[in-house]
Amino acid sequence: MSTDVFAALASPVRRELTALLLDGPRPVNDLAAHFAMSRPSVSEHLRVLRDAGLVTEQRHGRRRIYRLEPAPLRELSEWLTPYERFWREKLADLRRLLDEEDL
């Protein structure tokens, strides 16, 4: 998995953009309307996501439509799964310990 994915998702704006794209492809102007920043600034965030492989851009004349790409997110999820199990087990151990103290 590319470190670009982590770097791209480090920004709250870019995480919000990916969340907006969960519902399907959207034009850049529609995405930009959700932020209190200029359209070129939103386009720069989209470029970072595109460079990381998280979104693709399709041009229709002057319109640019962005689509979320699932492969990098799937890779990220697979990478995180062992850590999720680890923390789930640690929290279950903590719960058992606290339950024993209540007895």
Side-chain angles (χ1 to χ4, degrees):
M1 174 182 25
S2 168
T3 56
D4 292 345
V5 172
F6 285 106
L9 294 174
S11 163
V13 170
R14 292 191 287 268
R15 288 193 305 270
E16 180 65 22
L17 284 166
T18 59
L20 290 168
L21 290 168
L22 281 172
D23 293 331
R26 295 173 96 158
V28 68
N29 287 334
D30 184 32
L31 294 167
H34 291 271
F35 299 94
M37 65 176 71
S38 69
R39 188 188 158 294
S41 294
V42 172
S43 291
E44 180 64 24
H45 284 288
L46 287 164
R47 185 190 61 77
V48 172
L49 291 171
R50 190 184 70 231
D51 290 349
L54 290 161
V55 301
T56 55
E57 173 190 84
Q58 189 174 25
R59 294 181 186 203
H60 294 282
R62 294 184 64 159
R63 279 181 51 159
R64 293 177 185 205
I65 308 295
Y66 286 87
R67 176 187 313 272
L68 189 62
E69 289 298 321
L73 295 172
R74 193 175 307 116
E75 264 184 70
L76 181 61
S77 176
E78 289 168 2
W79 184 82
L80 287 170
T81 297
Y83 298 98
E84 184 182 349
R85 276 195 304 268
F86 171 82
W87 283 110
R88 220 181 264 143
E89 290 170 9
K90 294 297 179 195
L91 290 172
D93 291 345
L94 178 60
R95 181 178 292 123
R96 281 190 290 277
L97 179 66
L98 293 173
D99 288 346
E100 287 173 6
E101 287 183 2
D102 285 342
L103 296 179

